[in-house]
Amino acid sequence: MGDRVHIKMCWSRALLAGWVLLLVQLQYSQAVPIGIDKTKVKETEEKPEEPPASVDTGLHYDRYLREVIDFLEKDQHFREKLHNTDMEDIKQGKLAQELDFVSHHVRTKLDELKRQEVNRLRTLIKAKQDLEGGNDIAVDHQALLKQFEHLNHMNPHTFEVEDLDRLIKSASNDLENFDKERHEEFKRYEMMKEHDRREHLKTLDEEQRKKEEEHYEEMRKKHADHPKVNHPGSQNQLKEVWEEADGLDPEDFDPKTFFNLHDTNGDGFFDEQELEALFTKELEKIYDPTNEEDDMVEMEEERLRMREHVMNEVDSNKDRLVSLDEFLVATKKKEFLEPDSWETLEQNQAYTDEEMREFEEHLVQQEHDLNQRAVDLQKQREELERQQEQLNAQKVELQQAVEHMERLKSEKVDPPPEVHIEGDSAPEVHAADNQLHPDQEAHLPGHHETPEHHQDTQQEHQEQHNQGNRDLHQQGHPQAHHEEPPNQQEAAQGQHNLS
């Protein structure tokens, strides 16, 4: 391959276990199918390389990591240092020191990438805070950023030597644990599968349960009935690939030729994908996607186990790459020539009985918590519905009150009736004290008097009238000679009282 491929491979080695996932042997090369005899394949003219597909490491800072790598590789000085840096210098952080010598354009871009990453982390912190119900609480981003070790949170603006050193160490450590996490996920998968099977058996009657158990045992025996599986990385296993996949005579097996045939990108190393491709023939002995008894998830776990075993046996510098020298040394070991038998997954249960018991207890507790949560939510729902009904009733009452008041406003109120007094037009009012005359007050509407009081008042009035006539007579007033008879006066007085 060209210089660019070689540089990317050096970068892979420099970044220990994890950086291998980010480089050209994972991005630029496609493994040649093992079934092809590469000795008979004609060389073709090289075509321009197409942009590589993005490889996701699975890290939460994967995009930031890959973008930093891409821009550092654009700097000529940094590429040259990668070519001459050994593993010990990488571990001691000497590679990160070379950041001070990269071009200004690259440094500016790295600053921008770091600011974007810090903002992303702050957004994640705020979102988590909101989900936990603390959206009213002030968030101390500076303190919470400490949990992210792949950058220097004390300086959120510029990408410095410490940032590169942190990124290299974090990516290496995190990716070294990647296989361990895959094993744990597979263990949970297997325990859940067994748990579901047991739960299904509980729903069956005795006869159905017996048939189901017999079918399960039949599938297990059928899966275990397969040809012998060679020890991964052994002479027997590689010779089988040499003969069946490469179409060569097993008597002519040559380790160096074999290495060159299966170093598909020609970089001088077996990476993890190239190693796993060597195990395809062995896996096909055990797993067939068309068979009911064969689980493809288990096949990938078996592939991972084989690759890890070979890496542990052959990869002496633990960079997750197998060089030609490491490979040739391994072919001279006793383990290569006389390997032990390989125990497959059906011979090595992924979990213990104790782990299964704890797993099921955890599931029971989860189910209990979910049920309790469902009960609490139902109570909250009922309470909210009750409160809603109360609010609706209050709303109806309020609407009725408003409508009633609107009706009162729209109705016209009649004026109070006037009081008419027959006879004298108005009662006489004394100017001195603005009081009604006693006999006039007696005739006002609503004034009630006893018969005795009425008779006394009438006599008093008659005496006053007679006295007035006498006064007029003495003064020679002509009206004094026309005094009404007593009977007519009483009649007039009675009529007046009635009015």
Side-chain angles (χ1 to χ4, degrees):
M1 300 292 286
D3 182 64
R4 186 175 183 185
V5 173
H6 181 68
I7 291 171
K8 283 180 173 283
M9 176 53 63
C10 292
W11 179 252
S12 168
R13 301 190 67 189
L15 298 186
L16 299 170
W19 298 75
V20 134
L21 299 175
L22 306 173
L23 306 177
V24 75
Q25 67 269 23
L26 303 183
Q27 298 180 2
Y28 284 71
S29 62
Q30 296 293 331
V32 176
I34 288 183
I36 297 177
D37 186 351
K38 294 181 69 174
T39 61
K40 300 178 181 179
V41 177
K42 295 182 179 180
E43 295 292 333
T44 58
E45 296 182 0
E46 293 186 0
K47 297 181 179 180
E49 294 180 345
E50 297 180 356
S54 175
V55 177
D56 193 340
T57 63
L59 303 176
H60 73 88
Y61 52 91
D62 171 77
R63 180 176 178 178
Y64 173 65
L65 173 64
R66 287 185 288 110
E67 288 178 339
V68 169
I69 293 173
D70 290 342
F71 273 92
L72 284 174
E73 288 181 341
K74 293 177 181 178
D75 184 85
Q76 180 66 27
H77 173 80
F78 201 85
R79 288 201 304 270
E80 292 175 357
K81 288 296 180 182
L82 279 175
H83 182 70
N84 299 318
T85 303
D86 59 26
M87 188 61 63
E88 290 302 319
D89 288 341
I90 296 296
K91 293 179 180 179
Q92 295 174 9
K94 292 184 178 180
L95 177 65
Q97 299 294 332
E98 299 300 325
L99 182 68
D100 289 334
F101 302 99
V102 302
S103 66
H104 176 73
H105 168 70
V106 173
R107 289 297 296 270
T108 301
K109 184 60 180 179
L110 293 176
D111 292 345
E112 180 183 347
L113 292 176
K114 181 179 180 180
R115 287 193 293 270
Q116 292 174 356
E117 177 68 2
V118 171
N119 289 335
R120 183 185 72 86
L121 297 177
R122 286 174 174 170
T123 302
L124 290 176
I125 292 172
K126 183 62 169 62
K128 182 180 179 181
Q129 192 83 3
D130 293 343
L131 288 175
E132 294 175 351
N135 48 355
D136 295 331
I137 302 175
V139 179
D140 187 353
H141 288 95
Q142 196 69 9
L144 294 175
L145 282 171
K146 291 180 180 179
Q147 62 186 299
F148 303 109
E149 299 180 353
H150 62 285
L151 50 73
N152 177 17
H153 66 279
M154 297 302 294
N155 175 18
H157 305 295
T158 58
F159 189 96
E160 305 295 341
V161 171
E162 183 180 356
D163 291 294
L164 181 57
D165 187 45
R166 281 172 172 261
L167 187 59
I168 292 174
K169 292 179 179 178
S170 295
S172 300
N173 294 333
D174 293 341
L175 290 171
E176 282 177 353
N177 295 324
F178 182 71
D179 288 346
K180 181 179 179 181
E181 292 175 358
R182 284 182 59 185
H183 287 308
E184 289 299 317
E185 290 178 2
F186 175 74
K187 181 188 295 185
R188 288 191 293 270
Y189 169 80
E190 289 287 283
M191 289 190 291
M192 180 58 75
K193 186 167 69 171
E194 175 62 17
H195 171 75
D196 291 341
R197 187 185 74 85
R198 294 178 182 180
E199 292 298 310
H200 174 65
L201 291 176
K202 293 178 181 179
T203 65
L204 306 177
D205 57 34
E206 185 176 353
E207 183 178 356
Q208 291 174 328
R209 190 181 304 113
K210 183 179 179 180
K211 290 182 179 180
E212 189 69 23
E213 289 283 13
E214 290 175 353
H215 178 71
Y216 174 73
E217 290 299 325
E218 180 184 354
M219 291 297 101
R220 287 187 60 183
K221 291 179 181 179
K222 189 175 179 180
H223 173 69
D225 184 17
H226 53 71
K228 176 187 175 182
V229 177
N230 292 311
H231 198 92
S234 67
Q235 179 178 238
N236 293 336
Q237 190 257 313
L238 299 183
K239 276 188 175 182
E240 189 171 289
V241 175
W242 174 275
E243 180 181 7
E244 297 185 11
D246 299 334
L248 302 175
D249 189 342
E251 299 298 326
D252 297 332
F253 177 77
D254 176 64
K256 184 175 182 179
T257 303
F258 180 90
F259 185 93
N260 292 329
L261 283 174
H262 295 279
D263 176 19
T264 56
N265 61 4
D267 59 12
F269 297 92
F270 276 165
D271 60 46
E272 294 178 344
Q273 280 63 42
E274 289 168 335
L275 272 179
E276 290 181 358
L278 299 178
F279 311 137
T280 301
K281 281 292 179 182
E282 301 303 317
L283 293 171
E284 288 177 350
K285 297 176 182 178
I286 313 172
Y287 298 96
D288 185 344
T290 63
N291 293 338
E292 177 188 355
E293 67 273 11
D294 297 336
D295 188 337
M296 294 301 103
V297 175
E298 293 179 355
M299 184 185 75
E300 292 307 314
E301 175 68 9
E302 191 76 76
R303 189 192 303 274
L304 174 60
R305 292 177 67 242
M306 290 180 174
R307 186 252 294 166
E308 285 182 327
H309 174 76
V310 173
M311 281 293 186
N312 290 333
E313 293 288 328
V314 181
D315 181 22
S316 58
N317 65 357
K318 305 305 176 184
D319 63 352
R320 296 178 76 127
L321 295 169
V322 177
S323 66
L324 175 59
D325 290 339
E326 290 173 330
F327 181 76
L328 294 178
V329 169
T331 60
K332 296 180 175 61
K333 293 181 179 180
K334 180 181 178 180
E335 292 81 5
F336 177 79
L337 301 174
E338 300 177 4
D340 297 330
S341 61
W342 177 253
E343 294 184 351
T344 56
L345 277 175
E346 69 263 14
Q347 298 171 290
N348 290 273
Q349 187 170 269
Y351 53 87
T352 64
D353 293 340
E354 178 65 18
E355 288 174 329
M356 186 65 193
R357 183 186 63 79
E358 293 178 355
F359 179 75
E360 290 192 315
E361 289 178 354
H362 179 67
L363 290 180
V364 171
Q365 183 61 44
Q366 278 188 325
E367 184 178 2
H368 176 269
D369 294 342
L370 289 174
N371 291 337
Q372 184 61 45
R373 179 61 176 163
V375 171
D376 294 340
L377 289 175
Q378 180 62 28
K379 291 181 179 178
Q380 293 177 11
R381 178 181 177 181
E382 293 174 355
E383 177 62 19
L384 289 173
E385 289 177 351
R386 186 187 64 80
Q387 294 178 2
Q388 185 63 44
E389 291 177 357
Q390 292 180 347
L391 289 174
N392 291 339
Q394 294 175 1
K395 182 178 179 180
V396 170
E397 293 178 357
L398 181 60
Q399 289 177 345
Q400 292 175 348
V402 171
E403 292 173 358
H404 178 68
M405 296 199 51
E406 292 295 332
R407 285 196 303 269
L408 292 178
K409 290 181 180 179
S410 63
E411 291 178 355
K412 293 182 179 180
V413 181
D414 295 334
E418 298 181 357
V419 179
H420 298 281
I421 301 176
E422 296 181 2
D424 298 336
S425 60
E428 182 182 352
V429 179
H430 292 273
D433 55 4
N434 202 26
Q435 296 292 328
L436 292 176
H437 195 276
D439 60 339
Q440 295 173 337
E441 182 180 1
H443 300 331
L444 290 177
H447 180 76
H448 302 282
E449 54 186 15
T450 61
E452 295 81 3
H453 178 70
H454 176 70
Q455 183 177 2
D456 294 341
T457 301
Q458 188 175 5
Q459 292 176 355
E460 181 180 358
H461 179 70
Q462 183 61 40
E463 291 177 356
Q464 291 176 355
H465 180 72
N466 294 335
Q467 181 62 36
N469 284 336
R470 286 193 294 269
D471 293 339
L472 291 174
H473 184 271
Q474 291 175 359
Q475 296 174 6
H477 198 286
Q479 189 178 1
H481 300 284
H482 299 284
E483 183 177 353
E484 296 180 358
N487 292 339
Q488 293 179 356
Q489 294 176 3
E490 292 177 3
Q493 183 66 33
Q495 180 67 30
H496 178 73
N497 290 337
L498 290 175
S499 63

